[in-house]
Amino acid sequence: DDPHHYLVIAGQPAPEAYAQKLREAGRELGLGDRLIIHGEADMQLPSLYYGAADIFVFPGDNIVETWGQTLCEAKASGLPLVVSDWDGLRTHVEHQENGFLIPTWQMPASQRLEAFLPIAPTERLAHAQNVWLDTDALTDALKLLFHDEELSGRMGARSRQMAEEKYHWNGVMQQWRALWDELETIARNEAPENMQARREYANRLGLPV
């Protein structure tokens, strides 16, 4: 209800009519001009969105998000995170340290749609409609962050610290080098018969059995 609070939704709506539905919902909630919906942002704009934000909210409604690049970007921007407690997304959040994990469930029997997910966007939408988010927990988390600037600032600082510790370029390159060293050791110690079988299998990839 604070007139100084704005909700900004940025990203490509799918289907396109979804943005209109969001605007209608915003009017019903009395948000008026405080609801801002932008389409897919140009490459130069995300840093400006993050810089203008106080909180980053990601209520995931599908199983496609396996890591959450936008969450990593928000962490690097020093924002507290409020996200669904799902694999991939929870990687970036220490609950009550740099944000909040919101309980999220997949409704029973929705697995019947999973066979269509790789090829049918409409099925992904149907699957998302079978996801339930604890909206009370989401509301409580947002209210707490809105009204406790000290907590919000502390969580944002922790987000930035986590991003620097885990995703600083020097650390990432050290992990890559360690992986290559490990793979090289495995390759050097591989038995000749295993190497031959692996190469024969590789040559058949994509061909009928």
Side-chain angles (χ1 to χ4, degrees), residues 168-192:
H168 188 278
W169 189 240
N170 290 337
V172 171
M173 290 306 300
Q174 288 178 3
Q175 293 180 61
W176 274 113
R177 294 188 187 101
L179 175 61
W180 281 113
D181 290 342
E182 178 185 352
L183 294 176
E184 182 182 11
T185 300
I186 294 173
R188 289 183 182 277
N189 295 327
E190 184 178 21

mmCIF file with all atom_site columns, all heavy atoms in Angstrom, residues 168-192:
data_model
loop_
_atom_site.group_PDB
_atom_site.id
_atom_site.type_symbol
_atom_site.label_atom_id
_atom_site.label_alt_id
_atom_site.label_comp_id
_atom_site.label_asym_id
_atom_site.label_entity_id
_atom_site.label_seq_id
_atom_site.pdbx_PDB_ins_code
_atom_site.Cartn_x
_atom_site.Cartn_y
_atom_site.Cartn_z
_atom_site.occupancy
_atom_site.B_iso_or_equiv
_atom_site.pdbx_formal_charge
_atom_site.auth_seq_id
_atom_site.auth_comp_id
_atom_site.auth_asym_id
_atom_site.auth_atom_id
_atom_site.pdbx_PDB_model_num
ATOM 1   N N   . HIS A 1 168 ? 33.265 -15.185 -8.475  1.00 0.00 ? 168 HIS A N   1
ATOM 2   C CA  . HIS A 1 168 ? 34.336 -14.318 -8.956  1.00 0.00 ? 168 HIS A CA  1
ATOM 3   C C   . HIS A 1 168 ? 35.118 -15.066 -10.038 1.00 0.00 ? 168 HIS A C   1
ATOM 4   O O   . HIS A 1 168 ? 35.346 -16.273 -9.943  1.00 0.00 ? 168 HIS A O   1
ATOM 5   C CB  . HIS A 1 168 ? 35.261 -13.930 -7.804  1.00 0.00 ? 168 HIS A CB  1
ATOM 6   C CG  . HIS A 1 168 ? 36.275 -12.890 -8.173  1.00 0.00 ? 168 HIS A CG  1
ATOM 7   N ND1 . HIS A 1 168 ? 37.457 -13.197 -8.828  1.00 0.00 ? 168 HIS A ND1 1
ATOM 8   C CD2 . HIS A 1 168 ? 36.274 -11.540 -8.004  1.00 0.00 ? 168 HIS A CD2 1
ATOM 9   C CE1 . HIS A 1 168 ? 38.143 -12.087 -9.036  1.00 0.00 ? 168 HIS A CE1 1
ATOM 10  N NE2 . HIS A 1 168 ? 37.446 -11.075 -8.545  1.00 0.00 ? 168 HIS A NE2 1
ATOM 11  N N   . TRP A 1 169 ? 35.547 -14.330 -11.065 1.00 0.00 ? 169 TRP A N   1
ATOM 12  C CA  . TRP A 1 169 ? 36.137 -14.972 -12.237 1.00 0.00 ? 169 TRP A CA  1
ATOM 13  C C   . TRP A 1 169 ? 37.367 -15.814 -11.870 1.00 0.00 ? 169 TRP A C   1
ATOM 14  O O   . TRP A 1 169 ? 37.568 -16.902 -12.413 1.00 0.00 ? 169 TRP A O   1
ATOM 15  C CB  . TRP A 1 169 ? 36.507 -13.918 -13.270 1.00 0.00 ? 169 TRP A CB  1
ATOM 16  C CG  . TRP A 1 169 ? 36.924 -14.495 -14.590 1.00 0.00 ? 169 TRP A CG  1
ATOM 17  C CD1 . TRP A 1 169 ? 38.110 -14.353 -15.218 1.00 0.00 ? 169 TRP A CD1 1
ATOM 18  C CD2 . TRP A 1 169 ? 36.140 -15.347 -15.451 1.00 0.00 ? 169 TRP A CD2 1
ATOM 19  N NE1 . TRP A 1 169 ? 38.125 -15.031 -16.404 1.00 0.00 ? 169 TRP A NE1 1
ATOM 20  C CE2 . TRP A 1 169 ? 36.932 -15.652 -16.579 1.00 0.00 ? 169 TRP A CE2 1
ATOM 21  C CE3 . TRP A 1 169 ? 34.847 -15.863 -15.364 1.00 0.00 ? 169 TRP A CE3 1
ATOM 22  C CZ2 . TRP A 1 169 ? 36.479 -16.461 -17.611 1.00 0.00 ? 169 TRP A CZ2 1
ATOM 23  C CZ3 . TRP A 1 169 ? 34.400 -16.673 -16.407 1.00 0.00 ? 169 TRP A CZ3 1
ATOM 24  C CH2 . TRP A 1 169 ? 35.203 -16.962 -17.501 1.00 0.00 ? 169 TRP A CH2 1
ATOM 25  N N   . ASN A 1 170 ? 38.184 -15.329 -10.955 1.00 0.00 ? 170 ASN A N   1
ATOM 26  C CA  . ASN A 1 170 ? 39.372 -16.108 -10.580 1.00 0.00 ? 170 ASN A CA  1
ATOM 27  C C   . ASN A 1 170 ? 38.970 -17.441 -9.966  1.00 0.00 ? 170 ASN A C   1
ATOM 28  O O   . ASN A 1 170 ? 39.574 -18.480 -10.264 1.00 0.00 ? 170 ASN A O   1
ATOM 29  C CB  . ASN A 1 170 ? 40.225 -15.312 -9.584  1.00 0.00 ? 170 ASN A CB  1
ATOM 30  C CG  . ASN A 1 170 ? 40.900 -14.116 -10.231 1.00 0.00 ? 170 ASN A CG  1
ATOM 31  O OD1 . ASN A 1 170 ? 41.099 -14.082 -11.443 1.00 0.00 ? 170 ASN A OD1 1
ATOM 32  N ND2 . ASN A 1 170 ? 41.261 -13.126 -9.425  1.00 0.00 ? 170 ASN A ND2 1
ATOM 33  N N   . GLY A 1 171 ? 37.956 -17.437 -9.115  1.00 0.00 ? 171 GLY A N   1
ATOM 34  C CA  . GLY A 1 171 ? 37.497 -18.676 -8.506  1.00 0.00 ? 171 GLY A CA  1
ATOM 35  C C   . GLY A 1 171 ? 36.900 -19.626 -9.527  1.00 0.00 ? 171 GLY A C   1
ATOM 36  O O   . GLY A 1 171 ? 37.122 -20.847 -9.461  1.00 0.00 ? 171 GLY A O   1
ATOM 37  N N   . VAL A 1 172 ? 36.134 -19.079 -10.471 1.00 0.00 ? 172 VAL A N   1
ATOM 38  C CA  . VAL A 1 172 ? 35.531 -19.910 -11.513 1.00 0.00 ? 172 VAL A CA  1
ATOM 39  C C   . VAL A 1 172 ? 36.621 -20.566 -12.358 1.00 0.00 ? 172 VAL A C   1
ATOM 40  O O   . VAL A 1 172 ? 36.555 -21.764 -12.674 1.00 0.00 ? 172 VAL A O   1
ATOM 41  C CB  . VAL A 1 172 ? 34.586 -19.068 -12.394 1.00 0.00 ? 172 VAL A CB  1
ATOM 42  C CG1 . VAL A 1 172 ? 34.119 -19.868 -13.606 1.00 0.00 ? 172 VAL A CG1 1
ATOM 43  C CG2 . VAL A 1 172 ? 33.376 -18.599 -11.580 1.00 0.00 ? 172 VAL A CG2 1
ATOM 44  N N   . MET A 1 173 ? 37.636 -19.798 -12.719 1.00 0.00 ? 173 MET A N   1
ATOM 45  C CA  . MET A 1 173 ? 38.723 -20.365 -13.538 1.00 0.00 ? 173 MET A CA  1
ATOM 46  C C   . MET A 1 173 ? 39.502 -21.429 -12.767 1.00 0.00 ? 173 MET A C   1
ATOM 47  O O   . MET A 1 173 ? 39.952 -22.418 -13.353 1.00 0.00 ? 173 MET A O   1
ATOM 48  C CB  . MET A 1 173 ? 39.665 -19.246 -13.997 1.00 0.00 ? 173 MET A CB  1
ATOM 49  C CG  . MET A 1 173 ? 39.043 -18.314 -15.031 1.00 0.00 ? 173 MET A CG  1
ATOM 50  S SD  . MET A 1 173 ? 38.368 -19.210 -16.475 1.00 0.00 ? 173 MET A SD  1
ATOM 51  C CE  . MET A 1 173 ? 39.818 -20.046 -17.112 1.00 0.00 ? 173 MET A CE  1
ATOM 52  N N   . GLN A 1 174 ? 39.654 -21.245 -11.466 1.00 0.00 ? 174 GLN A N   1
ATOM 53  C CA  . GLN A 1 174 ? 40.327 -22.271 -10.668 1.00 0.00 ? 174 GLN A CA  1
ATOM 54  C C   . GLN A 1 174 ? 39.534 -23.575 -10.688 1.00 0.00 ? 174 GLN A C   1
ATOM 55  O O   . GLN A 1 174 ? 40.119 -24.662 -10.764 1.00 0.00 ? 174 GLN A O   1
ATOM 56  C CB  . GLN A 1 174 ? 40.508 -21.774 -9.242  1.00 0.00 ? 174 GLN A CB  1
ATOM 57  C CG  . GLN A 1 174 ? 41.556 -20.694 -9.078  1.00 0.00 ? 174 GLN A CG  1
ATOM 58  C CD  . GLN A 1 174 ? 41.659 -20.197 -7.653  1.00 0.00 ? 174 GLN A CD  1
ATOM 59  O OE1 . GLN A 1 174 ? 40.986 -20.694 -6.749  1.00 0.00 ? 174 GLN A OE1 1
ATOM 60  N NE2 . GLN A 1 174 ? 42.492 -19.199 -7.435  1.00 0.00 ? 174 GLN A NE2 1
ATOM 61  N N   . GLN A 1 175 ? 38.220 -23.466 -10.631 1.00 0.00 ? 175 GLN A N   1
ATOM 62  C CA  . GLN A 1 175 ? 37.384 -24.669 -10.693 1.00 0.00 ? 175 GLN A CA  1
ATOM 63  C C   . GLN A 1 175 ? 37.506 -25.349 -12.051 1.00 0.00 ? 175 GLN A C   1
ATOM 64  O O   . GLN A 1 175 ? 37.557 -26.587 -12.132 1.00 0.00 ? 175 GLN A O   1
ATOM 65  C CB  . GLN A 1 175 ? 35.927 -24.293 -10.414 1.00 0.00 ? 175 GLN A CB  1
ATOM 66  C CG  . GLN A 1 175 ? 35.667 -23.808 -8.994  1.00 0.00 ? 175 GLN A CG  1
ATOM 67  C CD  . GLN A 1 175 ? 34.220 -23.457 -8.760  1.00 0.00 ? 175 GLN A CD  1
ATOM 68  O OE1 . GLN A 1 175 ? 33.328 -24.297 -8.874  1.00 0.00 ? 175 GLN A OE1 1
ATOM 69  N NE2 . GLN A 1 175 ? 33.957 -22.198 -8.446  1.00 0.00 ? 175 GLN A NE2 1
ATOM 70  N N   . TRP A 1 176 ? 37.530 -24.543 -13.140 1.00 0.00 ? 176 TRP A N   1
ATOM 71  C CA  . TRP A 1 176 ? 37.689 -25.126 -14.462 1.00 0.00 ? 176 TRP A CA  1
ATOM 72  C C   . TRP A 1 176 ? 39.035 -25.846 -14.578 1.00 0.00 ? 176 TRP A C   1
ATOM 73  O O   . TRP A 1 176 ? 39.131 -26.953 -15.115 1.00 0.00 ? 176 TRP A O   1
ATOM 74  C CB  . TRP A 1 176 ? 37.585 -24.038 -15.535 1.00 0.00 ? 176 TRP A CB  1
ATOM 75  C CG  . TRP A 1 176 ? 36.188 -23.742 -15.976 1.00 0.00 ? 176 TRP A CG  1
ATOM 76  C CD1 . TRP A 1 176 ? 35.485 -22.591 -15.782 1.00 0.00 ? 176 TRP A CD1 1
ATOM 77  C CD2 . TRP A 1 176 ? 35.318 -24.615 -16.713 1.00 0.00 ? 176 TRP A CD2 1
ATOM 78  N NE1 . TRP A 1 176 ? 34.236 -22.682 -16.323 1.00 0.00 ? 176 TRP A NE1 1
ATOM 79  C CE2 . TRP A 1 176 ? 34.108 -23.916 -16.911 1.00 0.00 ? 176 TRP A CE2 1
ATOM 80  C CE3 . TRP A 1 176 ? 35.442 -25.903 -17.217 1.00 0.00 ? 176 TRP A CE3 1
ATOM 81  C CZ2 . TRP A 1 176 ? 33.032 -24.474 -17.587 1.00 0.00 ? 176 TRP A CZ2 1
ATOM 82  C CZ3 . TRP A 1 176 ? 34.369 -26.460 -17.899 1.00 0.00 ? 176 TRP A CZ3 1
ATOM 83  C CH2 . TRP A 1 176 ? 33.183 -25.744 -18.071 1.00 0.00 ? 176 TRP A CH2 1
ATOM 84  N N   . ARG A 1 177 ? 40.105 -25.211 -14.093 1.00 0.00 ? 177 ARG A N   1
ATOM 85  C CA  . ARG A 1 177 ? 41.427 -25.831 -14.172 1.00 0.00 ? 177 ARG A CA  1
ATOM 86  C C   . ARG A 1 177 ? 41.472 -27.123 -13.372 1.00 0.00 ? 177 ARG A C   1
ATOM 87  O O   . ARG A 1 177 ? 42.073 -28.127 -13.806 1.00 0.00 ? 177 ARG A O   1
ATOM 88  C CB  . ARG A 1 177 ? 42.488 -24.849 -13.665 1.00 0.00 ? 177 ARG A CB  1
ATOM 89  C CG  . ARG A 1 177 ? 42.669 -23.608 -14.546 1.00 0.00 ? 177 ARG A CG  1
ATOM 90  C CD  . ARG A 1 177 ? 43.861 -22.783 -14.105 1.00 0.00 ? 177 ARG A CD  1
ATOM 91  N NE  . ARG A 1 177 ? 43.940 -21.534 -14.841 1.00 0.00 ? 177 ARG A NE  1
ATOM 92  C CZ  . ARG A 1 177 ? 43.543 -20.357 -14.361 1.00 0.00 ? 177 ARG A CZ  1
ATOM 93  N NH1 . ARG A 1 177 ? 43.040 -20.272 -13.130 1.00 0.00 ? 177 ARG A NH1 1
ATOM 94  N NH2 . ARG A 1 177 ? 43.648 -19.269 -15.094 1.00 0.00 ? 177 ARG A NH2 1
ATOM 95  N N   . ALA A 1 178 ? 40.849 -27.103 -12.191 1.00 0.00 ? 178 ALA A N   1
ATOM 96  C CA  . ALA A 1 178 ? 40.818 -28.312 -11.370 1.00 0.00 ? 178 ALA A CA  1
ATOM 97  C C   . ALA A 1 178 ? 40.064 -29.429 -12.074 1.00 0.00 ? 178 ALA A C   1
ATOM 98  O O   . ALA A 1 178 ? 40.465 -30.605 -12.017 1.00 0.00 ? 178 ALA A O   1
ATOM 99  C CB  . ALA A 1 178 ? 40.172 -28.005 -10.018 1.00 0.00 ? 178 ALA A CB  1
ATOM 100 N N   . LEU A 1 179 ? 38.981 -29.063 -12.763 1.00 0.00 ? 179 LEU A N   1
ATOM 101 C CA  . LEU A 1 179 ? 38.211 -30.070 -13.502 1.00 0.00 ? 179 LEU A CA  1
ATOM 102 C C   . LEU A 1 179 ? 39.043 -30.657 -14.636 1.00 0.00 ? 179 LEU A C   1
ATOM 103 O O   . LEU A 1 179 ? 39.064 -31.884 -14.837 1.00 0.00 ? 179 LEU A O   1
ATOM 104 C CB  . LEU A 1 179 ? 36.923 -29.445 -14.045 1.00 0.00 ? 179 LEU A CB  1
ATOM 105 C CG  . LEU A 1 179 ? 36.071 -30.348 -14.948 1.00 0.00 ? 179 LEU A CG  1
ATOM 106 C CD1 . LEU A 1 179 ? 35.605 -31.588 -14.189 1.00 0.00 ? 179 LEU A CD1 1
ATOM 107 C CD2 . LEU A 1 179 ? 34.866 -29.572 -15.496 1.00 0.00 ? 179 LEU A CD2 1
ATOM 108 N N   . TRP A 1 180 ? 39.729 -29.797 -15.388 1.00 0.00 ? 180 TRP A N   1
ATOM 109 C CA  . TRP A 1 180 ? 40.552 -30.302 -16.494 1.00 0.00 ? 180 TRP A CA  1
ATOM 110 C C   . TRP A 1 180 ? 41.676 -31.198 -15.981 1.00 0.00 ? 180 TRP A C   1
ATOM 111 O O   . TRP A 1 180 ? 42.004 -32.235 -16.589 1.00 0.00 ? 180 TRP A O   1
ATOM 112 C CB  . TRP A 1 180 ? 41.126 -29.141 -17.302 1.00 0.00 ? 180 TRP A CB  1
ATOM 113 C CG  . TRP A 1 180 ? 40.140 -28.531 -18.249 1.00 0.00 ? 180 TRP A CG  1
ATOM 114 C CD1 . TRP A 1 180 ? 39.605 -27.285 -18.194 1.00 0.00 ? 180 TRP A CD1 1
ATOM 115 C CD2 . TRP A 1 180 ? 39.562 -29.165 -19.385 1.00 0.00 ? 180 TRP A CD2 1
ATOM 116 N NE1 . TRP A 1 180 ? 38.717 -27.091 -19.224 1.00 0.00 ? 180 TRP A NE1 1
ATOM 117 C CE2 . TRP A 1 180 ? 38.670 -28.224 -19.976 1.00 0.00 ? 180 TRP A CE2 1
ATOM 118 C CE3 . TRP A 1 180 ? 39.681 -30.421 -19.975 1.00 0.00 ? 180 TRP A CE3 1
ATOM 119 C CZ2 . TRP A 1 180 ? 37.926 -28.514 -21.111 1.00 0.00 ? 180 TRP A CZ2 1
ATOM 120 C CZ3 . TRP A 1 180 ? 38.937 -30.706 -21.115 1.00 0.00 ? 180 TRP A CZ3 1
ATOM 121 C CH2 . TRP A 1 180 ? 38.077 -29.753 -21.667 1.00 0.00 ? 180 TRP A CH2 1
ATOM 122 N N   . ASP A 1 181 ? 42.283 -30.818 -14.848 1.00 0.00 ? 181 ASP A N   1
ATOM 123 C CA  . ASP A 1 181 ? 43.339 -31.649 -14.271 1.00 0.00 ? 181 ASP A CA  1
ATOM 124 C C   . ASP A 1 181 ? 42.784 -33.013 -13.873 1.00 0.00 ? 181 ASP A C   1
ATOM 125 O O   . ASP A 1 181 ? 43.438 -34.052 -14.092 1.00 0.00 ? 181 ASP A O   1
ATOM 126 C CB  . ASP A 1 181 ? 43.947 -30.961 -13.049 1.00 0.00 ? 181 ASP A CB  1
ATOM 127 C CG  . ASP A 1 181 ? 44.778 -29.739 -13.427 1.00 0.00 ? 181 ASP A CG  1
ATOM 128 O OD1 . ASP A 1 181 ? 45.158 -29.641 -14.613 1.00 0.00 ? 181 ASP A OD1 1
ATOM 129 O OD2 . ASP A 1 181 ? 45.036 -28.911 -12.541 1.00 0.00 ? 181 ASP A OD2 1
ATOM 130 N N   . GLU A 1 182 ? 41.595 -33.008 -13.279 1.00 0.00 ? 182 GLU A N   1
ATOM 131 C CA  . GLU A 1 182 ? 40.969 -34.267 -12.875 1.00 0.00 ? 182 GLU A CA  1
ATOM 132 C C   . GLU A 1 182 ? 40.669 -35.141 -14.081 1.00 0.00 ? 182 GLU A C   1
ATOM 133 O O   . GLU A 1 182 ? 40.950 -36.349 -14.079 1.00 0.00 ? 182 GLU A O   1
ATOM 134 C CB  . GLU A 1 182 ? 39.682 -33.978 -12.099 1.00 0.00 ? 182 GLU A CB  1
ATOM 135 C CG  . GLU A 1 182 ? 38.922 -35.222 -11.672 1.00 0.00 ? 182 GLU A CG  1
ATOM 136 C CD  . GLU A 1 182 ? 37.597 -34.898 -11.009 1.00 0.00 ? 182 GLU A CD  1
ATOM 137 O OE1 . GLU A 1 182 ? 37.331 -33.705 -10.736 1.00 0.00 ? 182 GLU A OE1 1
ATOM 138 O OE2 . GLU A 1 182 ? 36.808 -35.838 -10.769 1.00 0.00 ? 182 GLU A OE2 1
ATOM 139 N N   . LEU A 1 183 ? 40.109 -34.533 -15.148 1.00 0.00 ? 183 LEU A N   1
ATOM 140 C CA  . LEU A 1 183 ? 39.785 -35.302 -16.351 1.00 0.00 ? 183 LEU A CA  1
ATOM 141 C C   . LEU A 1 183 ? 41.047 -35.824 -17.040 1.00 0.00 ? 183 LEU A C   1
ATOM 142 O O   . LEU A 1 183 ? 41.061 -36.938 -17.581 1.00 0.00 ? 183 LEU A O   1
ATOM 143 C CB  . LEU A 1 183 ? 38.972 -34.429 -17.314 1.00 0.00 ? 183 LEU A CB  1
ATOM 144 C CG  . LEU A 1 183 ? 37.574 -34.023 -16.831 1.00 0.00 ? 183 LEU A CG  1
ATOM 145 C CD1 . LEU A 1 183 ? 36.927 -33.089 -17.842 1.00 0.00 ? 183 LEU A CD1 1
ATOM 146 C CD2 . LEU A 1 183 ? 36.701 -35.249 -16.603 1.00 0.00 ? 183 LEU A CD2 1
ATOM 147 N N   . GLU A 1 184 ? 42.090 -35.013 -17.008 1.00 0.00 ? 184 GLU A N   1
ATOM 148 C CA  . GLU A 1 184 ? 43.346 -35.469 -17.623 1.00 0.00 ? 184 GLU A CA  1
ATOM 149 C C   . GLU A 1 184 ? 43.902 -36.676 -16.878 1.00 0.00 ? 184 GLU A C   1
ATOM 150 O O   . GLU A 1 184 ? 44.378 -37.648 -17.496 1.00 0.00 ? 184 GLU A O   1
ATOM 151 C CB  . GLU A 1 184 ? 44.370 -34.337 -17.618 1.00 0.00 ? 184 GLU A CB  1
ATOM 152 C CG  . GLU A 1 184 ? 45.691 -34.738 -18.282 1.00 0.00 ? 184 GLU A CG  1
ATOM 153 C CD  . GLU A 1 184 ? 46.715 -33.630 -18.227 1.00 0.00 ? 184 GLU A CD  1
ATOM 154 O OE1 . GLU A 1 184 ? 46.496 -32.640 -17.506 1.00 0.00 ? 184 GLU A OE1 1
ATOM 155 O OE2 . GLU A 1 184 ? 47.759 -33.761 -18.905 1.00 0.00 ? 184 GLU A OE2 1
ATOM 156 N N   . THR A 1 185 ? 43.829 -36.636 -15.547 1.00 0.00 ? 185 THR A N   1
ATOM 157 C CA  . THR A 1 185 ? 44.310 -37.762 -14.747 1.00 0.00 ? 185 THR A CA  1
ATOM 158 C C   . THR A 1 185 ? 43.510 -39.023 -15.049 1.00 0.00 ? 185 THR A C   1
ATOM 159 O O   . THR A 1 185 ? 44.058 -40.115 -15.204 1.00 0.00 ? 185 THR A O   1
ATOM 160 C CB  . THR A 1 185 ? 44.219 -37.419 -13.250 1.00 0.00 ? 185 THR A CB  1
ATOM 161 O OG1 . THR A 1 185 ? 45.029 -36.272 -12.973 1.00 0.00 ? 185 THR A OG1 1
ATOM 162 C CG2 . THR A 1 185 ? 44.681 -38.599 -12.404 1.00 0.00 ? 185 THR A CG2 1
ATOM 163 N N   . ILE A 1 186 ? 42.187 -38.861 -15.150 1.00 0.00 ? 186 ILE A N   1
ATOM 164 C CA  . ILE A 1 186 ? 41.332 -40.012 -15.472 1.00 0.00 ? 186 ILE A CA  1
ATOM 165 C C   . ILE A 1 186 ? 41.679 -40.571 -16.851 1.00 0.00 ? 186 ILE A C   1
ATOM 166 O O   . ILE A 1 186 ? 41.772 -41.798 -17.041 1.00 0.00 ? 186 ILE A O   1
ATOM 167 C CB  . ILE A 1 186 ? 39.850 -39.599 -15.406 1.00 0.00 ? 186 ILE A CB  1
ATOM 168 C CG1 . ILE A 1 186 ? 39.465 -39.253 -13.963 1.00 0.00 ? 186 ILE A CG1 1
ATOM 169 C CG2 . ILE A 1 186 ? 38.950 -40.710 -15.945 1.00 0.00 ? 186 ILE A CG2 1
ATOM 170 C CD1 . ILE A 1 186 ? 38.062 -38.677 -13.825 1.00 0.00 ? 186 ILE A CD1 1
ATOM 171 N N   . ALA A 1 187 ? 41.881 -39.669 -17.826 1.00 0.00 ? 187 ALA A N   1
ATOM 172 C CA  . ALA A 1 187 ? 42.188 -40.109 -19.190 1.00 0.00 ? 187 ALA A CA  1
ATOM 173 C C   . ALA A 1 187 ? 43.521 -40.846 -19.252 1.00 0.00 ? 187 ALA A C   1
ATOM 174 O O   . ALA A 1 187 ? 43.661 -41.864 -19.955 1.00 0.00 ? 187 ALA A O   1
ATOM 175 C CB  . ALA A 1 187 ? 42.201 -38.909 -20.130 1.00 0.00 ? 187 ALA A CB  1
ATOM 176 N N   . ARG A 1 188 ? 44.523 -40.351 -18.522 1.00 0.00 ? 188 ARG A N   1
ATOM 177 C CA  . ARG A 1 188 ? 45.840 -40.983 -18.550 1.00 0.00 ? 188 ARG A CA  1
ATOM 178 C C   . ARG A 1 188 ? 45.816 -42.377 -17.918 1.00 0.00 ? 188 ARG A C   1
ATOM 179 O O   . ARG A 1 188 ? 46.610 -43.241 -18.280 1.00 0.00 ? 188 ARG A O   1
ATOM 180 C CB  . ARG A 1 188 ? 46.857 -40.101 -17.836 1.00 0.00 ? 188 ARG A CB  1
ATOM 181 C CG  . ARG A 1 188 ? 47.209 -38.830 -18.580 1.00 0.00 ? 188 ARG A CG  1
ATOM 182 C CD  . ARG A 1 188 ? 48.279 -38.040 -17.852 1.00 0.00 ? 188 ARG A CD  1
ATOM 183 N NE  . ARG A 1 188 ? 48.588 -36.797 -18.531 1.00 0.00 ? 188 ARG A NE  1
ATOM 184 C CZ  . ARG A 1 188 ? 49.431 -36.681 -19.568 1.00 0.00 ? 188 ARG A CZ  1
ATOM 185 N NH1 . ARG A 1 188 ? 50.054 -37.772 -20.033 1.00 0.00 ? 188 ARG A NH1 1
ATOM 186 N NH2 . ARG A 1 188 ? 49.659 -35.514 -20.131 1.00 0.00 ? 188 ARG A NH2 1
ATOM 187 N N   . ASN A 1 189 ? 44.900 -42.567 -16.962 1.00 0.00 ? 189 ASN A N   1
ATOM 188 C CA  . ASN A 1 189 ? 44.830 -43.847 -16.258 1.00 0.00 ? 189 ASN A CA  1
ATOM 189 C C   . ASN A 1 189 ? 43.780 -44.793 -16.837 1.00 0.00 ? 189 ASN A C   1
ATOM 190 O O   . ASN A 1 189 ? 43.564 -45.883 -16.298 1.00 0.00 ? 189 ASN A O   1
ATOM 191 C CB  . ASN A 1 189 ? 44.529 -43.605 -14.776 1.00 0.00 ? 189 ASN A CB  1
ATOM 192 C CG  . ASN A 1 189 ? 45.653 -42.864 -14.070 1.00 0.00 ? 189 ASN A CG  1
ATOM 193 O OD1 . ASN A 1 189 ? 46.825 -43.038 -14.404 1.00 0.00 ? 189 ASN A OD1 1
ATOM 194 N ND2 . ASN A 1 189 ? 45.309 -42.022 -13.114 1.00 0.00 ? 189 ASN A ND2 1
ATOM 195 N N   . GLU A 1 190 ? 43.158 -44.380 -17.933 1.00 0.00 ? 190 GLU A N   1
ATOM 196 C CA  . GLU A 1 190 ? 42.102 -45.206 -18.515 1.00 0.00 ? 190 GLU A CA  1
ATOM 197 C C   . GLU A 1 190 ? 42.693 -46.451 -19.171 1.00 0.00 ? 190 GLU A C   1
ATOM 198 O O   . GLU A 1 190 ? 43.699 -46.378 -19.895 1.00 0.00 ? 190 GLU A O   1
ATOM 199 C CB  . GLU A 1 190 ? 41.313 -44.399 -19.542 1.00 0.00 ? 190 GLU A CB  1
ATOM 200 C CG  . GLU A 1 190 ? 40.125 -45.150 -20.119 1.00 0.00 ? 190 GLU A CG  1
ATOM 201 C CD  . GLU A 1 190 ? 39.339 -44.292 -21.101 1.00 0.00 ? 190 GLU A CD  1
ATOM 202 O OE1 . GLU A 1 190 ? 39.912 -43.301 -21.625 1.00 0.00 ? 190 GLU A OE1 1
ATOM 203 O OE2 . GLU A 1 190 ? 38.161 -44.611 -21.352 1.00 0.00 ? 190 GLU A OE2 1
ATOM 204 N N   . ALA A 1 191 ? 42.062 -47.579 -18.921 1.00 0.00 ? 191 ALA A N   1
ATOM 205 C CA  . ALA A 1 191 ? 42.514 -48.828 -19.536 1.00 0.00 ? 191 ALA A CA  1
ATOM 206 C C   . ALA A 1 191 ? 42.318 -48.766 -21.052 1.00 0.00 ? 191 ALA A C   1
ATOM 207 O O   . ALA A 1 191 ? 41.317 -48.218 -21.535 1.00 0.00 ? 191 ALA A O   1
ATOM 208 C CB  . ALA A 1 191 ? 41.730 -50.006 -18.954 1.00 0.00 ? 191 ALA A CB  1
ATOM 209 N N   . PRO A 1 192 ? 43.250 -49.320 -21.842 1.00 0.00 ? 192 PRO A N   1
ATOM 210 C CA  . PRO A 1 192 ? 43.153 -49.266 -23.317 1.00 0.00 ? 192 PRO A CA  1
ATOM 211 C C   . PRO A 1 192 ? 41.841 -49.816 -23.848 1.00 0.00 ? 192 PRO A C   1
ATOM 212 O O   . PRO A 1 192 ? 41.267 -49.260 -24.790 1.00 0.00 ? 192 PRO A O   1
ATOM 213 C CB  . PRO A 1 192 ? 44.347 -50.087 -23.776 1.00 0.00 ? 192 PRO A CB  1
ATOM 214 C CG  . PRO A 1 192 ? 45.321 -49.997 -22.649 1.00 0.00 ? 192 PRO A CG  1
ATOM 215 C CD  . PRO A 1 192 ? 44.504 -49.964 -21.410 1.00 0.00 ? 192 PRO A CD  1
#
